[in-house]
Amino acid sequence: MPGKRLPGNGGYRVTHYDLELDYRPGPARLAGRAVISAESQTRLEGFALDLGPFRVDRVIVDGRPAHYTHRAGKLRIRPARAVPAGAPFTVEVRYAGTPRPVRSHWGEIGWDHLSDGALVASQPVGAPSWFPCNDTLADKAGYRISVRVASPYTVLANGILASRRAGAGATTWVYEQAEPMCTYLATVQIGRYDLVELAGAPVLQVAAVPPRLVTAAIHDFGRQPEMLSAFADLFGEYPFTGYAVVVTGEDLDVPVEAQGLSTFGANHVDGARGAEHLVAHELAHQWFGNSLTVADWRHIWLHEGFAQYAEWLWSEISGGEPAGRLAERSWTALSAQPRDLVLANPGLPRTFDDRVYQRGALTLHALRSTMGDAPFFGLLRDWTEIHRHGSVTTTQFTQLAQRHTPRPLDTLFADWLYGVRLPELPRG
């Protein structure tokens, strides 16, 4: 498991997080008040939350001070009165300190201090770097995120901007995320950004961009509204109320998606749409990864394979190379790499191995070639509709796929998902 901490906790499920944050970019200090609404699944004499190395000042359960200990990433709480099974309860935690990323198999993940601001990229285990939570894929909840920061800064977070209140030298930004969301998809972005509207309808799309990059970004993200419309036709209705992109003033290794928001580095903006395939990739994650989230990380191809294939589909739709040609190129590249990865369960250290992305996309292209376009895209639309805002597994997908075609798919899935040999691409 990542690091020393076992993320996630049993005995309850969270229904809502209300986070009030006060952040000072200079000293990189965060003060927080989290009110967590939950429902017990069993009688709780005590329970735990995941939280990084902050100073915890107070814990209150259902209005009463609670006893707590905080070490090794776990905030263990004993309420004054046990919570009965099946009962709603609330937990208030006040905490402060310097947010630190969570160490993991994949590096340091979570709250990241920029030279002039901050960003949060928590996939897969970084949420406790900035708020107390039940850090597990199985527990989606609604969110309200309030951030107070010096007025020259702009704040973006998940959901819609509910209010913005300017005070003496500081502004409080409040975002509300009504659709259920995993903890790792929660984000806060703070920087000296200009806000640019890319589209107003049918889905509000905005970009937060450093002033020096606005002209280039308007061009580079200029086809995103068309892209969203095309993906809605292929994948089903866009699953959220809006979509934002943030371009940081610094370079990033790769863009990172959150729910309803994706973050790009300055190096991904060149004024020539040189990274438009990444724009497509992150947008596709709103369907595959954010609305439909894997029940377990072994199923990660259901996120990354689908987003990779969306890159190829956008190329095809927008007049670039067809998906079939890109699939052949990907197959050739994969054929020269080690064949020791099982796509349906690559193992935690290989969760974000590029072969998961490529082989996942190839699996989808093989399925499309076998089924035909109409059944294949009908499958994708049913997939996103049936499991909207839910958790998904590989078996659920393969079973649904078989219901969309009379052709047997057992061998295809056995070879592509559970074998290590690289199968030949079918010719559709």
Side-chain angles (χ1 to χ4, degrees):
M1 295 297 293
K4 297 179 181 179
R5 177 180 59 86
L6 295 176
N9 307 282
Y12 66 93
R13 68 176 190 89
V14 177
T15 56
H16 192 267
Y17 291 92
D18 191 331
L19 307 178
E20 294 183 1
L21 310 175
D22 191 312
Y23 185 66
R24 291 180 289 162
R29 296 287 292 177
L30 178 70
R33 173 180 177 266
V35 177
I36 301 167
S37 301
E39 183 177 289
S40 62
Q41 296 172 319
T42 185
R43 176 181 168 84
L44 296 176
E45 298 283 350
F47 56 92
L49 295 167
D50 300 299
L51 180 64
F54 291 95
R55 184 188 74 247
V56 176
D57 296 321
R58 184 169 65 180
V59 177
I60 296 174
V61 178
D62 286 339
R64 294 172 175 264
H67 177 75
Y68 62 90
T69 61
H70 182 216
R71 57 179 175 269
K74 287 290 185 182
L75 178 59
R76 301 188 185 279
I77 300 168
R78 181 171 291 275
R81 292 180 177 176
V83 180
F89 66 101
T90 60
V91 185
E92 178 184 340
V93 180
R94 291 184 180 268
Y95 61 102
T98 299
R100 298 174 186 169
V102 174
R103 293 181 179 178
S104 74
H105 285 301
W106 312 279
E108 295 189 335
I109 296 169
W111 189 287
D112 192 1
H113 306 283
L114 302 175
S115 60
D116 194 18
L119 67 83
V120 173
S122 290
Q123 187 175 12
V125 292
S129 69
W130 62 288
F131 71 101
C133 59
N134 188 27
D135 191 27
T136 175
L137 290 167
D139 203 358
K140 288 189 172 186
Y143 282 72
R144 175 184 176 274
I145 302 175
S146 170
V147 183
R148 182 178 183 273
V149 69
S151 292
Y153 293 90
T154 296
V155 175
L156 283 89
N158 311 89
I160 62 170
L161 178 62
S163 66
R164 182 173 62 186
R165 303 185 304 273
T171 299
T172 301
W173 304 69
V174 180
Y175 288 84
E176 294 183 355
Q177 172 65 65
E179 298 89 356
M181 177 169 69
C182 288
T183 52
Y184 87 86
L185 291 169
T187 190
V188 168
Q189 308 285 328
I190 301 171
R192 297 177 190 265
Y193 300 130
D194 285 352
L195 287 176
V196 178
E197 184 174 301
L198 300 173
V203 175
L204 177 63
Q205 298 173 62
V206 299
V209 187
R212 65 184 173 85
L213 295 175
V214 166
T215 300
I218 288 174
H219 178 76
D220 286 0
F221 291 93
R223 296 203 293 183
Q224 184 181 272
E226 178 187 349
M227 187 186 294
L228 190 149
S229 178
F231 285 175
D233 288 341
L234 296 176
F235 307 148
E237 181 184 1
Y238 179 75
F240 304 111
T241 52
Y243 183 58
V245 293
V246 175
V247 178
T248 70
E250 301 176 19
D251 291 353
L252 300 179
D253 291 339
V254 293
V256 182
E257 85 279 0
Q259 188 155 305
L261 185 153
S262 296
T263 307
F264 296 78
N267 52 313
H268 300 126
V269 173
D270 60 7
R273 294 180 177 152
E276 192 174 63
H277 64 293
L278 299 177
V279 176
H281 186 107
E282 302 310 323
L283 177 59
H285 273 312
Q286 301 308 314
W287 287 264
F288 309 110
N290 299 353
S291 177
L292 278 65
T293 308
V294 292
D296 185 280
W297 290 111
R298 80 186 82 170
H299 308 292
I300 188 62
W301 83 277
L302 294 172
H303 293 189
E304 301 302 347
F306 280 66
Q308 182 71 41
Y309 197 55
E311 294 184 32
W312 301 354
L313 292 172
W314 175 246
S315 174
E316 190 172 275
I317 292 166
S318 62
E321 290 188 278
R325 190 176 304 162
L326 294 170
E328 290 172 359
R329 188 178 302 156
S330 175
W331 188 96
T332 299
L334 272 185
S335 68
Q337 297 185 35
R339 303 181 189 186
D340 57 358
L341 180 143
V342 175
L343 183 60
N345 189 7
L348 279 174
R350 295 177 177 174
T351 300
F352 302 106
D353 192 306
D354 186 61
R355 291 174 294 170
V356 172
Y357 294 55
Q358 299 300 324
R359 185 161 177 147
L362 287 171
T363 300
L364 292 172
H365 192 71
L367 183 61
R368 177 186 177 189
S369 298
T370 301
M371 295 178 69
D373 277 11
F376 175 76
F377 289 110
L379 161 65
L380 297 193
R381 289 188 290 271
D382 270 5
W383 178 238
T384 62
E385 175 63 25
I386 292 169
H387 298 287
R388 187 179 178 90
H389 304 314
S391 300
V392 292
T393 67
T394 297
T395 298
Q396 288 173 321
F397 179 74
T398 58
Q399 289 176 345
L400 185 62
Q402 187 60 82
R403 292 202 289 270
H404 277 260
T405 180
R407 297 187 180 187
L409 299 175
D410 290 352
T411 299
L412 184 151
F413 287 134
D415 290 347
W416 282 99
L417 295 175
Y418 299 101
V420 294
R421 182 185 64 86
L422 183 62
E424 296 292 329
L425 276 174
R427 305 294 175 181

